[in-house]
Amino acid sequence: MSENLTEKEHTVNENYRQKPRVAVYVCHCGGNISDVIDVKRVAQELSKYPNVAVSREYAFMCSSTGQDYIVDDIRNNGINRVVVAACSPALHELTFRGALSRAGLNPYLYEHVNIREQSSWVHKNDKEGATVKAIALIKAGVEKILRQDPLNSIRVEAVHAAAVIGGGIAGMRAALSCADNGLEAVIIEKSDSLGGNLNRKGKVYPSNRQAFEVAGELSKKVLSNPNIKVYLNSEISFVGGYVGNFQVNGKKSDGKFEKVKAGAIIMATGFDHYKPQKGEYGAGLSDMVITLPQFESVFEDLDGKKFIFGGREISSVAFMHCVGSRQIDGLDKPGKNGKVNDYCSRICCTAAISAANRLKEKFPETAIYDIYTDMRTYGMEHEEYYKSASENDIIFFRRPLEERPQVEIKEGKIHIKTRDILTMNEEMEIETDLLVLSTGLMPRDISDLVEYMKLPKSADGFLQEVHPKLRPVECANNGIFLAGTVQGPMDIRETLQAANTAAVKAAALLSAPDIPLDPFVAVVDEDKCTGCGLCPAECSYEGALVMTEKDVKGKKKKVACVNPALCKGCGACAAVCQPRAINVAGWTLDQFDAMVEAIAKE
Amino acid sequence: MKVNPNFLKEVKKYGAFDISKCFNCGNCTAICPLSAQDASFPRKMIRYAQVGAEKEIESSLEPWLCYYCGECSDTCPRQAYPGEFMMTLRRYLIAKYDLTGISAFFYRFPWVQNLLTIGIFAVSLAFFLSYTGDFQELAAKIELAFPVYVTLAIAAYVFTFYRKTILEKAKKFVLSINFSNIKETLIHGLTQKNFAGCSDTDWTRWIAHLFVMSGYTLTLVISNLHLLEPLKVQYSVSEFRTFLVFYAASAIILGGFIMMFRRAAKKVQSSSFSHSSDWLFVIMLFLIGLSTLSAHISNIILGPEDKIVELLYKLNIAVEVAWIIVIVPFTKWIHIFFRPMAVYLRNLKKEEAEGKALAFSLPFIK
């Protein structure tokens, strides 16, 4: 960690020592706030508040004019602390911190008060109450910022390498992109070859190329890249460390690798195909009921004029969608984890239709049925598959989501009964030689890795990104990125895009010699610390808070010690510290006291 | 309902090459001004065809309630031409209701019908020209034979239509003697009022249709009652018969000309996809009108003895012979009866559901 401040940081730190002069800005948010809250009154009220030197209201504080007010007041009116009362801090806190920086003020001497979500939107029908509440919230904000220390981002040194866990197409693509961006990449793969789920026969949409060819082409590039190291047959026994300094340990027994050091980890462990339970849509009742991956592997080897499968000539084939996807509690049997898969697996509609089209091309006389719930051939050009399928006279049946088609085997033929929305909800009887179940995608069991890294999972059991729009592929754990289907069902194109994104994020993170982190972490006042040891017991982040022997003012003393890179700033430690020796920077207990005081005053 | 994947292939032999593109969105039914709760089309019909619900198709009245304004085809997001599919179904149903199977054959091999028409026309004409006896007498006999032959053909069609749409479902004979139903049926039969149900009424089409229909019916009457004897009687411009012939023939010529023109121009959906039998039908009608009119005019000018009158009259009868033998009992012609009948049967179904229809069972029907 580097304690050295940059030159700019040094200069902007000086002005906080002067007598506090707070500026308050009340944003109208184009009516979102000002239609309910009397913003003029709020500004006037705040202008009388102690230490407030400037109080203004404006239509859009986030606009460049609004931001210019802040910059101008800092430069010309001696303002050294700023409060903006506006929307949610998630939206514009960084915007206004930026304005402070531009004006030469420490960006953390800024307080964002949310009077939109917390006042005008929730108290639409009580204008007076909303106004009074806004005033109280802003006063609390002023009190808080008066007690704010100028903070600086924490910097940690970083290893310029990424550990990629999983050597499927996501892992390979991510490793290649890391290498392209100047990072070293290490692929750790459990099996004996690269390629993962694509190491199989069968064509994949939208290129209609053989799966193993696509995987093979990528693995050739990976293996010939000097910046990528590949460990096959390798299992992981432990993952530790923090952003910039991860350490991945291998299971020593296989002797392949012991230790990999990396600044970032890219999770690319992929998915498992759903395995239908016995009796589910006829699975296991006949050899003529197979899954789509099984169909693909058989189909590629077929040639000649007749479709022979299991020693029989096949003249009709039915495809069943949503097997193991969009399941309903109580209707479908739960899997091993005790849950049903209620998500859509996204790829199976297009995959089934693309297979049906290829079948029709190879054996034009085959009658093909397709039983779906909702046709989700989303994505560029995928609708074309659906279109040509209907032009190919593939007969579609749309079943209600909450009904399950009945499959029976009679005299070697498969009989399917299904309600069909397209035929005015009538029950249809379909007789077919072969039934292909278009199975969904399942989260792969990576519970050991999840345990080592404390990775967050979604309700569906896949790993979860922080926010699908604001922070895609980023894991809540700093420095860990999600590539491909480890995060949810995706097709190959999306997987590769996610893998690229993960790699680029890792590269961006590790682009400077050290990594800046938010300064809102626990800080210990060693004078006050009694060494009682209550706080580390509360801490849920391994290595973030430990007790150490230290030299404090000449005396050897046992005190709490924070690793700022691992601390998440949750405040659990501060809550148990009786002498108030430990505080979260930017959110100290003194600040909270003053805020409560300000709100409770009247 | 059992699914039959081969049925659509069968229907496609009668046209509607694009119907596989349909993905059952239902825009066609939504836009159709004639589709109703108890007679929903075209989507329902298309769907039945896709899944091979042969029975449902063969017992449906919907194809005859469609007047092919073409709005569905214009609206279809998949260019599946649902309007033309309804037309195809009408062809398919005629083929199915034709117990001889000849219509099905003609629809699939239209050149046979064309060649036969030309052949029978040529043979009859050759025979007529070489005929040495009293041709007026012979013509009278031929015209007497027409109604017998035609009535038999119509009766077979009408009974099959009734059997498929009503009898096989109700399992008993039901009839509607409701006055308003009979009135509605007659009005529809005579005026094709349903054309006005299409939201942008295609007036030209309706009027052309009315011309042809009324002219043709009148020609039937004139010919069946053997009202004309142009080789024996000299007709004048001012008499009533001349007025009848002039109206009948010119209405057919004018209406037929408009129809041919529209089929050639392909400007609107309803005349964009002509089957060979459609052309044959309208051309032959046109020729009937033309030969009737020219024979009559030449009689007025030249008198009954003239060779030209005789030639034109023989031409006229030869065209009618070909028409009656090859065209009337097979393919398109029977739609003249099916359309008003569908109106009648639709009301009958309603009455039967309400228990108001006249019903009587027969021992041999179960």
Side-chain angles (χ1 to χ4, degrees):
Chain A
M1 201 197 332
S2 125
E3 295 270 285
N4 303 334
L5 302 178
T6 63
E7 200 181 324
K8 194 180 171 195
E9 278 169 346
H10 213 75
T11 55
V12 300
N13 277 343
E14 284 315 306
N15 35 14
Y16 81 97
R17 295 181 199 284
Q18 302 147 6
K19 185 181 177 298
R21 283 174 63 80
V22 181
V24 174
Y25 303 92
V26 184
C27 182
H28 298 193
C29 197
N32 269 302
I33 292 170
S34 56
D35 284 352
V36 178
I37 291 171
D38 184 350
V39 286
K40 282 218 165 66
R41 191 176 131 203
V42 175
Q44 215 163 35
E45 195 74 18
L46 262 299
S47 67
K48 295 180 228 152
Y49 201 71
N51 292 313
V52 174
V54 173
S55 177
R56 304 180 194 279
E57 30 88 18
Y58 183 63
F60 286 107
M61 279 308 293
C62 57
S63 67
S64 58
T65 324
Q67 293 186 48
D68 284 349
Y69 277 128
I70 301 175
V71 175
D72 193 54
D73 283 338
I74 293 170
R75 284 192 182 141
N76 304 323
N77 291 334
I79 293 302
N80 51 20
R81 273 145 222 268
V82 175
V83 174
V84 175
C87 53
S88 155
L91 222 57
H92 279 307
E93 190 172 42
L94 287 179
T95 314
F96 295 120
R97 275 196 200 145
L100 267 69
S101 288
R102 286 205 300 282
L105 193 61
N106 178 298
Y108 294 98
L109 292 171
Y110 169 75
E111 182 61 20
H112 195 99
V113 179
N114 181 355
I115 58 166
R116 192 178 72 176
E117 281 86 339
Q118 294 181 3
S119 196
S120 67
W121 278 1
V122 284
H123 304 299
K124 245 184 208 146
N125 302 322
D126 181 7
K127 293 190 176 183
E128 172 61 21
T131 307
V132 171
K133 182 176 175 182
I135 293 169
L137 288 173
I138 302 169
K139 282 178 179 172
V142 172
E143 290 297 340
K144 179 175 180 237
I145 204 66
L146 285 172
R147 285 156 184 80
Q148 179 86 345
D149 293 324
L151 304 172
N152 288 302
S153 34
I154 297 158
R155 294 179 176 277
V156 292
E157 276 173 36
V159 181
H160 282 261
V164 180
I165 305 181
I169 48 154
M172 291 195 285
R173 184 67 259 168
L176 282 168
S177 297
C178 281
D180 286 347
N181 282 288
L183 281 188
E184 265 184 39
V186 183
I187 295 180
I188 305 165
E189 166 61 39
K190 200 174 183 175
S191 78
D192 60 358
S193 62
L194 292 173
N197 276 315
L198 284 200
N199 249 339
R200 60 166 175 89
K201 270 185 241 163
K203 287 182 176 162
V204 288
Y205 73 86
S207 58
N208 267 352
R209 290 185 61 188
Q210 287 287 352
F212 66 83
E213 275 178 25
V214 177
E217 216 162 285
L218 267 176
S219 76
K220 229 186 267 167
K221 282 186 190 166
V222 166
L223 293 171
S224 62
N225 193 313
N227 287 328
I228 301 176
K229 220 183 257 175
V230 178
Y231 292 115
L232 298 175
N233 297 310
S234 301
E235 285 198 50
I236 291 168
S237 64
F238 176 76
V239 182
Y242 48 86
V243 57
N245 293 282
F246 289 110
Q247 183 177 320
V248 182
N249 293 355
K251 277 193 183 147
K252 284 197 182 118
S253 56
D254 50 47
K256 284 291 178 186
F257 81 103
E258 266 179 40
K259 213 188 268 178
V260 169
K261 286 203 159 248
I265 293 179
I266 294 176
M267 292 295 294
T269 49
F271 70 94
D272 278 326
H273 287 288
Y274 177 80
K275 299 234 162 22
Q277 307 188 16
K278 194 179 159 106
E280 190 180 2
Y281 300 100
L285 300 183
S286 158
D287 293 342
M288 293 293 151
V289 181
I290 56 176
T291 65
L292 186 58
Q294 284 170 326
F295 173 83
E296 287 286 5
S297 60
V298 181
F299 182 72
E300 273 314 306
D301 286 337
L302 292 172
D303 43 9
K305 281 201 165 170
K306 285 176 178 171
F307 181 2
I308 308 284
F309 176 76
R312 278 175 35 194
E313 191 188 335
I314 304 293
S315 62
S316 52
V317 180
F319 288 86
M320 179 78 71
H321 291 229
C322 292
V323 178
S325 305
R326 303 186 72 194
Q327 293 180 319
I328 295 175
D329 237 339
L331 205 59
D332 296 290
K333 268 195 203 159
K336 278 180 199 152
N337 57 358
K339 281 204 274 188
V340 296
N341 301 336
D342 54 8
Y343 54 85
C344 165
S345 290
R346 303 172 83 234
I347 66 159
C348 4
C349 278
T350 313
I353 301 248
S354 128
N357 280 339
R358 273 179 280 128
L359 173 61
K360 195 77 184 181
E361 265 165 44
K362 214 169 191 175
F363 306 107
E365 291 308 311
T366 319
I368 303 177
Y369 310 104
D370 188 286
I371 304 156
Y372 70 97
T373 317
D374 292 298
M375 189 52 69
R376 291 183 175 173
T377 49
Y378 70 96
M380 279 281 277
E381 292 158 31
H382 297 179
E383 188 72 1
E384 289 302 311
Y385 287 97
Y386 178 36
K387 211 173 150 189
S388 44
S390 53
E391 282 168 26
N392 279 338
D393 279 338
I394 289 165
I395 305 178
F396 290 96
F397 301 93
R398 186 178 177 195
R399 64 170 162 111
L401 180 62
E402 64 286 347
E403 279 187 43
R404 298 288 170 268
Q406 299 302 312
V407 180
E408 272 180 56
I409 321 289
K410 278 186 232 156
E411 291 154 18
K413 281 260 184 182
I414 298 164
H415 293 258
I416 307 168
K417 270 189 195 169
T418 181
R419 195 158 297 288
D420 180 25
I421 296 174
L422 300 181
T423 316
M424 289 63 74
N425 268 324
E426 289 200 40
E427 188 170 77
M428 311 301 286
E429 288 171 47
I430 305 157
E431 195 185 290
T432 178
D433 294 329
L434 186 69
L435 172 59
V436 180
L437 305 178
S438 189
T439 45
L441 270 52
M442 293 278 289
R444 177 162 284 180
D445 181 15
I446 47 165
S447 43
D448 45 351
L449 292 174
V450 168
E451 182 56 34
Y452 303 147
M453 289 183 260
K454 303 268 185 299
L455 299 172
K457 275 187 181 181
S458 67
D460 296 330
F462 293 96
L463 296 189
Q464 198 166 28
E465 57 194 356
V466 178
H467 190 289
K469 298 190 194 82
L470 301 176
R471 290 172 69 185
V473 312
E474 277 181 61
C475 194
N477 312 42
N478 246 333
I480 299 179
F481 303 98
L482 308 176
T485 50
V486 68
Q487 188 249 310
M490 290 181 194
D491 69 11
I492 294 171
R493 179 157 32 186
E494 292 160 340
T495 297
L496 296 174
Q497 284 164 354
N500 259 334
T501 311
V504 168
K505 286 239 175 160
L509 174 76
L510 302 174
S511 61
D514 49 18
I515 301 171
L517 300 178
D518 261 349
F520 306 116
V521 294
V523 180
V524 179
D525 183 338
E526 291 169 350
D527 283 340
K528 283 189 188 168
C529 180
T530 60
C532 69
L534 278 176
C535 52
E538 282 306 310
C539 181
S540 27
Y541 301 95
E542 217 167 287
L545 185 56
V546 289
M547 301 302 294
T548 45
E549 195 89 7
K550 251 192 176 178
D551 212 24
V552 181
K553 290 186 179 160
K555 269 190 244 168
K556 281 240 170 195
K557 191 180 170 188
K558 210 177 163 195
V559 289
C561 181
V562 177
N563 182 341
L566 291 176
C567 176
K568 298 281 171 219
C570 71
C573 49
V576 294
C577 184
Q578 277 189 343
R580 290 191 163 199
I582 192 159
N583 259 305
V584 177
W587 297 95
T588 65
L589 290 172
D590 289 348
Q591 284 178 308
F592 280 118
D593 285 346
M595 288 168 82
V596 174
E597 199 86 356
I599 290 171
K601 217 169 202 169
E602 281 144 54
Chain B
M1 192 181 287
K2 276 222 157 164
V3 175
N4 172 9
N6 298 317
F7 181 70
L8 193 61
K9 281 182 211 156
E10 177 70 19
V11 174
K12 278 187 181 176
K13 290 176 183 161
Y14 298 87
F17 310 102
D18 295 300
I19 203 61
S20 293
K21 289 179 181 168
C22 167
F23 62 175
N24 300 287
C25 68
N27 273 322
C28 48
T29 304
I31 199 86
C32 178
L34 294 175
S35 173
Q37 197 81 41
D38 66 320
S40 172
F41 59 89
R43 191 193 91 85
K44 192 171 151 190
M45 294 291 116
I46 297 172
R47 187 59 191 164
Y48 279 151
Q50 284 177 335
V51 298
E54 200 172 341
K55 268 201 170 164
E56 275 72 9
I57 295 268
E58 284 181 11
S59 63
S60 56
L61 299 171
E62 283 87 345
W64 306 104
L65 299 170
C66 158
Y67 275 72
Y68 204 166
C69 62
E71 270 194 71
C72 51
S73 295
D74 285 333
T75 315
C76 178
R78 282 274 180 126
Q79 283 81 50
Y81 295 102
E84 185 55 21
F85 173 77
M86 294 301 282
M87 185 70 225
T88 304
L89 271 192
R90 289 191 281 277
R91 286 184 202 126
Y92 171 82
L93 288 177
I94 288 177
K96 283 287 145 177
Y97 296 161
D98 177 4
L99 301 174
T100 64
I102 296 175
S103 290
F105 186 75
F106 280 172
Y107 272 130
R108 287 188 209 175
F109 307 100
W111 53 272
V112 178
Q113 193 182 19
N114 298 345
L115 280 184
L116 268 178
T117 310
I118 296 170
I120 288 178
F121 165 75
V123 169
S124 332
L125 187 63
F127 174 66
F128 296 161
L129 290 177
S130 60
Y131 190 71
T132 46
D134 183 348
F135 185 70
Q136 194 62 73
E137 290 276 303
L138 180 68
K141 279 179 191 148
I142 291 172
E143 290 195 325
L144 202 65
F146 285 169
V148 181
Y149 179 72
V150 171
T151 311
L152 272 175
I154 295 173
Y157 271 115
V158 166
F159 179 70
T160 317
F161 189 39
Y162 180 78
R163 180 165 61 85
K164 292 272 184 191
T165 54
I166 304 289
L167 208 52
E168 283 181 5
K169 276 190 180 168
K171 308 283 184 204
K172 62 186 172 202
F173 272 99
V174 282
L175 282 177
S176 162
I177 45 164
N178 185 325
F179 175 70
S180 72
N181 184 12
I182 294 168
K183 194 179 88 182
E184 195 188 339
T185 306
L186 283 177
I187 290 175
H188 274 287
L190 293 175
T191 66
Q192 291 103 43
K193 211 180 92 192
N194 263 347
F195 273 128
C198 299
S199 55
D200 278 323
T201 308
D202 187 345
W203 287 103
T204 328
R205 185 165 163 236
W206 188 8
I207 289 168
H209 229 98
L210 263 182
F211 270 147
V212 169
M213 209 273 309
S214 58
Y216 177 64
T217 314
L218 199 55
T219 314
L220 267 184
V221 173
I222 295 169
S223 133
N224 286 352
L225 296 181
H226 198 56
L227 291 183
L228 292 180
E229 294 186 310
L231 301 187
K232 282 199 176 139
V233 184
Q234 162 95 48
Y235 297 105
S236 73
V237 186
S238 56
E239 71 186 289
F240 186 61
R241 272 175 216 213
T242 302
F243 169 73
L244 286 184
V245 173
F246 273 17
Y247 173 78
S250 357
I252 294 179
I253 292 169
L254 183 63
F257 179 77
I258 295 173
M259 284 180 177
M260 287 196 279
F261 180 78
R262 284 161 65 96
R263 284 200 181 274
K266 297 185 183 181
K267 284 247 167 71
V268 292
Q269 289 286 359
S270 58
S271 41
S272 292
F273 304 89
S274 303
H275 188 268
S276 166
S277 58
D278 299 327
W279 276 112
L280 185 65
F281 187 83
V282 68
I283 289 172
M284 285 301 282
L285 260 176
F286 186 75
L287 291 179
I288 288 175
L290 207 60
S291 57
T292 309
L293 189 65
S294 52
H296 199 75
I297 292 176
S298 60
N299 170 285
I300 295 170
I301 300 169
L302 304 168
E305 311 285 305
D306 197 279
K307 284 279 168 219
I308 294 175
V309 180
E310 192 185 335
L311 175 67
L312 286 172
Y313 185 60
K314 283 179 175 172
L315 260 172
N316 177 234
I317 299 294
V319 171
E320 284 184 1
V321 167
W323 168 261
I324 294 283
I325 293 177
V326 191
I327 296 171
V328 173
F330 312 110
T331 66
K332 197 180 172 95
W333 187 87
I334 194 65
H335 83 276
I336 301 170
F337 274 79
F338 282 175
R339 282 212 183 274
M341 229 181 120
V343 174
Y344 174 81
L345 295 179
R346 181 187 178 186
N347 287 329
L348 172 63
K349 275 188 172 182
K350 265 189 226 163
E351 283 175 33
E352 201 231 327
E354 293 164 3
K356 287 181 187 163
L358 197 66
F360 41 96
S361 47
L362 289 170
F364 55 88
I365 295 162
K366 280 182 190 149

